[in-house]
């Protein structure tokens, strides 16, 4: 596998869809105490959201990426700068208002508290414009990564209908969301889904604790015509079910700076493996290494090839589930 960054014009073009983008306001502090005054030691504000993060990682890897979704005009400048810096084609539909600011409080232990705001409320005209943009992009793109929550005004069923239509047009749809949007989207059988253990538990309506419970829930999704069910387990790695069966990965231990963006980086890595036609083992190892490295920084971004290759060598891939993947141990 060549992890060298080179733009390959023969690869399918990707659309990253971020319907509810966010500026992430990250504050680092030694310990967070609820209900009292907390002093932040270092802070940063950067454009993010699941689709935007996926777009950035894919673009840094060398993919041709278009980004779309619903972006508030009032605070769009940092997003536009990011897209221009990384050569990402900006196809966001502009909406009135400001995109949300999500607060991420990172403690010295690596624990992160996410305070995610609801975002702008979009109108039916905005939703119609979004739908037009999405299917206009479908004329020239093959791969769609739909990632993140939905703004008020855009129903989970509408998003699920878009996934269904894209699938009917033969597009590969990778889907990463939560709560009602995840529940509805899964009924449209995207090509790949990436819940974490908590999201899978929420979909099931009960806490999944043992490997057998996690596998059983994922297998239910696979039987619902979802070709790739990828469950991420934080530091415990990844479990991936497809027609060839289960494959597991275990990342090396990392110095955690912030885990925010690790899931998005994993999705980008999986998509990159597909674009390069890598096999399942290669794709999983690469995506696991890339996501493990994501926790060593604030926000997302691709490290240099040396570090990536070194981490890749420490990722363990197995057909047998590692004992440590019990989510509660
Ligand atoms: N502490 C960690 N150490 C090493 N790798 C990690 C760590 N946390 C996350 N990762 C990597 O990032 C992937 C996604 O993280 P996870 O927390 O499961 O996703 P999400 O951000 O969607 O909740 C994991 O499957 C793993 O490969
Ligand atoms: O769209 P959602 O589900 O509200 O999540 C948005 C948040 O998730 C992130 O994309 C990070 O996601 P991951 O940690 O799962 O990779 C943040 O940048 C953003 O603030």
């Amino acid at each position: 596998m060549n992890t060298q960054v080179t733009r390959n014009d023969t690869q399918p073009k990707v659309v990253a869809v971020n319907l509810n983008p966010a500026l992430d306001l990250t504050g680092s502090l030694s310990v967070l105490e609820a209900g009292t005054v907390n002093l932040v030691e270092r802070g940063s504000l950067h454009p993010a959201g699941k689709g935007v993060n996926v777009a950035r990682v894919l673009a840094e890897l060398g993919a041709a990426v278009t980004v779309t979704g619903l972006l508030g005009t009032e605070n769009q400048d940092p997003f536009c700068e990011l897209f221009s810096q990384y050569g990402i084609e900006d196809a966001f539909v502009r909406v009135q208002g400001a995109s949300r600011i999500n607060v991420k409080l990172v403690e010295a232990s690596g624990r992160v508290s996410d305070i995610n705001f609801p975002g702008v409320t979009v109108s039916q005209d905005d939703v119609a414009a979004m739908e037009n943009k999405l299917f206009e992009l479908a004329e020239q793109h093959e791969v769609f990564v739909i990632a993140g929550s939905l703004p008020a005004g855009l129903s989970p069923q509408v998003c699920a209908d878009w996934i269904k239509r894209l699938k009917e047009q033969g597009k590969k749809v990778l889907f990463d969301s939560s709560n009602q949007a995840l529940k509805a989207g899964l009924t449209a059988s995207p090509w790949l889904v990436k819940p974490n253990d908590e999201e899978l538990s929420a979909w099931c309506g009960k806490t999944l604790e043992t490997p057998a419970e996690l596998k059983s829930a994922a297998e239910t999704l696979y039987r619902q015509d979802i070709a790739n069910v990828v469950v991420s387990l934080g530091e415990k790695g990844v479990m991936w079910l497809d027609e060839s069966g289960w494959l597991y990965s275990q990342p090396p231990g990392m110095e955690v700076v912030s885990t925010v963006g690790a899931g998005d980086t994993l999705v980008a890595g999986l998509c990159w493996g597909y674009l390069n036609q890598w096999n399942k083992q290669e794709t999983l190892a690469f995506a696991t290494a890339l996501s493990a490295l994501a926790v060593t920084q604030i926000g997302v971004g691709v490290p240099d090839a040396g570090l990536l290759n070194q981490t890749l060598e420490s990722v363990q891939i197995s057909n047998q589930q590692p004992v440590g993947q019990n989510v509660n141990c």
Side-chain angles (χ1 to χ4, degrees), residues 54-68:
V54 169
R56 172 171 165 183
V57 175
L58 280 172
E60 278 196 61
L61 287 168
V65 189
T66 300
V67 75
T68 189

PDB file of all heavy atoms in Angstrom, residues 54-68:
ATOM      1  N   VAL A  54     -14.399  15.156   7.119  1.00  0.00           N
ATOM      2  CA  VAL A  54     -14.125  14.084   6.147  1.00  0.00           C
ATOM      3  C   VAL A  54     -13.543  14.693   4.869  1.00  0.00           C
ATOM      4  O   VAL A  54     -12.553  14.189   4.317  1.00  0.00           O
ATOM      5  CB  VAL A  54     -15.420  13.281   5.836  1.00  0.00           C
ATOM      6  CG1 VAL A  54     -15.208  12.352   4.645  1.00  0.00           C
ATOM      7  CG2 VAL A  54     -15.860  12.482   7.059  1.00  0.00           C
ATOM      8  N   ALA A  55     -14.133  15.795   4.425  1.00  0.00           N
ATOM      9  CA  ALA A  55     -13.653  16.453   3.197  1.00  0.00           C
ATOM     10  C   ALA A  55     -12.203  16.882   3.346  1.00  0.00           C
ATOM     11  O   ALA A  55     -11.377  16.673   2.447  1.00  0.00           O
ATOM     12  CB  ALA A  55     -14.528  17.663   2.881  1.00  0.00           C
ATOM     13  N   ARG A  56     -11.889  17.454   4.492  1.00  0.00           N
ATOM     14  CA  ARG A  56     -10.510  17.945   4.692  1.00  0.00           C
ATOM     15  C   ARG A  56      -9.523  16.785   4.663  1.00  0.00           C
ATOM     16  O   ARG A  56      -8.477  16.858   4.007  1.00  0.00           O
ATOM     17  CB  ARG A  56     -10.408  18.705   6.009  1.00  0.00           C
ATOM     18  CG  ARG A  56      -8.973  19.018   6.296  1.00  0.00           C
ATOM     19  CD  ARG A  56      -8.731  19.942   7.429  1.00  0.00           C
ATOM     20  NE  ARG A  56      -7.300  19.841   7.767  1.00  0.00           N
ATOM     21  CZ  ARG A  56      -6.754  20.472   8.763  1.00  0.00           C
ATOM     22  NH1 ARG A  56      -7.471  21.251   9.517  1.00  0.00           N
ATOM     23  NH2 ARG A  56      -5.466  20.339   9.013  1.00  0.00           N
ATOM     24  N   VAL A  57      -9.836  15.694   5.375  1.00  0.00           N
ATOM     25  CA  VAL A  57      -8.898  14.560   5.418  1.00  0.00           C
ATOM     26  C   VAL A  57      -8.747  13.956   4.016  1.00  0.00           C
ATOM     27  O   VAL A  57      -7.625  13.694   3.559  1.00  0.00           O
ATOM     28  CB  VAL A  57      -9.365  13.500   6.441  1.00  0.00           C
ATOM     29  CG1 VAL A  57      -8.472  12.272   6.389  1.00  0.00           C
ATOM     30  CG2 VAL A  57      -9.361  14.094   7.852  1.00  0.00           C
ATOM     31  N   LEU A  58      -9.849  13.765   3.330  1.00  0.00           N
ATOM     32  CA  LEU A  58      -9.765  13.187   1.978  1.00  0.00           C
ATOM     33  C   LEU A  58      -8.964  14.087   1.044  1.00  0.00           C
ATOM     34  O   LEU A  58      -8.148  13.610   0.251  1.00  0.00           O
ATOM     35  CB  LEU A  58     -11.173  12.963   1.415  1.00  0.00           C
ATOM     36  CG  LEU A  58     -11.894  11.710   1.911  1.00  0.00           C
ATOM     37  CD1 LEU A  58     -13.341  11.699   1.450  1.00  0.00           C
ATOM     38  CD2 LEU A  58     -11.176  10.441   1.439  1.00  0.00           C
ATOM     39  N   ALA A  59      -9.193  15.401   1.147  1.00  0.00           N
ATOM     40  CA  ALA A  59      -8.467  16.327   0.270  1.00  0.00           C
ATOM     41  C   ALA A  59      -6.977  16.282   0.587  1.00  0.00           C
ATOM     42  O   ALA A  59      -6.141  16.268  -0.322  1.00  0.00           O
ATOM     43  CB  ALA A  59      -9.011  17.748   0.437  1.00  0.00           C
ATOM     44  N   GLU A  60      -6.647  16.225   1.880  1.00  0.00           N
ATOM     45  CA  GLU A  60      -5.219  16.151   2.251  1.00  0.00           C
ATOM     46  C   GLU A  60      -4.592  14.861   1.745  1.00  0.00           C
ATOM     47  O   GLU A  60      -3.409  14.819   1.410  1.00  0.00           O
ATOM     48  CB  GLU A  60      -5.062  16.219   3.771  1.00  0.00           C
ATOM     49  CG  GLU A  60      -5.094  17.625   4.314  1.00  0.00           C
ATOM     50  CD  GLU A  60      -4.544  17.679   5.738  1.00  0.00           C
ATOM     51  OE1 GLU A  60      -3.373  17.338   5.942  1.00  0.00           O
ATOM     52  OE2 GLU A  60      -5.315  18.066   6.638  1.00  0.00           O
ATOM     53  N   LEU A  61      -5.386  13.794   1.693  1.00  0.00           N
ATOM     54  CA  LEU A  61      -4.858  12.521   1.194  1.00  0.00           C
ATOM     55  C   LEU A  61      -4.635  12.569  -0.319  1.00  0.00           C
ATOM     56  O   LEU A  61      -3.855  11.799  -0.859  1.00  0.00           O
ATOM     57  CB  LEU A  61      -5.814  11.380   1.553  1.00  0.00           C
ATOM     58  CG  LEU A  61      -5.818  10.970   3.034  1.00  0.00           C
ATOM     59  CD1 LEU A  61      -6.997  10.054   3.346  1.00  0.00           C
ATOM     60  CD2 LEU A  61      -4.504  10.285   3.402  1.00  0.00           C
ATOM     61  N   GLY A  62      -5.387  13.453  -0.992  1.00  0.00           N
ATOM     62  CA  GLY A  62      -5.204  13.583  -2.434  1.00  0.00           C
ATOM     63  C   GLY A  62      -6.454  13.319  -3.251  1.00  0.00           C
ATOM     64  O   GLY A  62      -6.388  13.251  -4.480  1.00  0.00           O
ATOM     65  N   ALA A  63      -7.606  13.157  -2.573  1.00  0.00           N
ATOM     66  CA  ALA A  63      -8.856  12.903  -3.310  1.00  0.00           C
ATOM     67  C   ALA A  63      -9.414  14.203  -3.895  1.00  0.00           C
ATOM     68  O   ALA A  63      -9.155  15.287  -3.376  1.00  0.00           O
ATOM     69  CB  ALA A  63      -9.881  12.280  -2.364  1.00  0.00           C
ATOM     70  N   ALA A  64     -10.190  14.050  -4.965  1.00  0.00           N
ATOM     71  CA  ALA A  64     -10.928  15.193  -5.515  1.00  0.00           C
ATOM     72  C   ALA A  64     -12.249  15.258  -4.759  1.00  0.00           C
ATOM     73  O   ALA A  64     -13.086  14.359  -4.867  1.00  0.00           O
ATOM     74  CB  ALA A  64     -11.173  14.976  -7.001  1.00  0.00           C
ATOM     75  N   VAL A  65     -12.424  16.302  -3.955  1.00  0.00           N
ATOM     76  CA  VAL A  65     -13.569  16.371  -3.046  1.00  0.00           C
ATOM     77  C   VAL A  65     -14.400  17.627  -3.270  1.00  0.00           C
ATOM     78  O   VAL A  65     -13.859  18.730  -3.379  1.00  0.00           O
ATOM     79  CB  VAL A  65     -13.110  16.396  -1.561  1.00  0.00           C
ATOM     80  CG1 VAL A  65     -14.307  16.254  -0.627  1.00  0.00           C
ATOM     81  CG2 VAL A  65     -12.104  15.319  -1.278  1.00  0.00           C
ATOM     82  N   THR A  66     -15.697  17.416  -3.309  1.00  0.00           N
ATOM     83  CA  THR A  66     -16.650  18.525  -3.295  1.00  0.00           C
ATOM     84  C   THR A  66     -17.378  18.456  -1.968  1.00  0.00           C
ATOM     85  O   THR A  66     -17.709  17.363  -1.500  1.00  0.00           O
ATOM     86  CB  THR A  66     -17.667  18.370  -4.443  1.00  0.00           C
ATOM     87  OG1 THR A  66     -16.943  18.365  -5.679  1.00  0.00           O
ATOM     88  CG2 THR A  66     -18.691  19.486  -4.458  1.00  0.00           C
ATOM     89  N   VAL A  67     -17.611  19.602  -1.356  1.00  0.00           N
ATOM     90  CA  VAL A  67     -18.332  19.607  -0.086  1.00  0.00           C
ATOM     91  C   VAL A  67     -19.642  20.348  -0.270  1.00  0.00           C
ATOM     92  O   VAL A  67     -19.722  21.348  -0.992  1.00  0.00           O
ATOM     93  CB  VAL A  67     -17.431  20.226   1.025  1.00  0.00           C
ATOM     94  CG1 VAL A  67     -17.319  21.725   0.910  1.00  0.00           C
ATOM     95  CG2 VAL A  67     -17.894  19.836   2.391  1.00  0.00           C
ATOM     96  N   THR A  68     -20.695  19.805   0.348  1.00  0.00           N
ATOM     97  CA  THR A  68     -21.985  20.491   0.278  1.00  0.00           C
ATOM     98  C   THR A  68     -22.712  20.331   1.606  1.00  0.00           C
ATOM     99  O   THR A  68     -22.256  19.634   2.509  1.00  0.00           O
ATOM    100  CB  THR A  68     -22.832  19.981  -0.911  1.00  0.00           C
ATOM    101  OG1 THR A  68     -23.976  20.838  -1.046  1.00  0.00           O
ATOM    102  CG2 THR A  68     -23.311  18.552  -0.718  1.00  0.00           C
TER     103      THR A  68
END
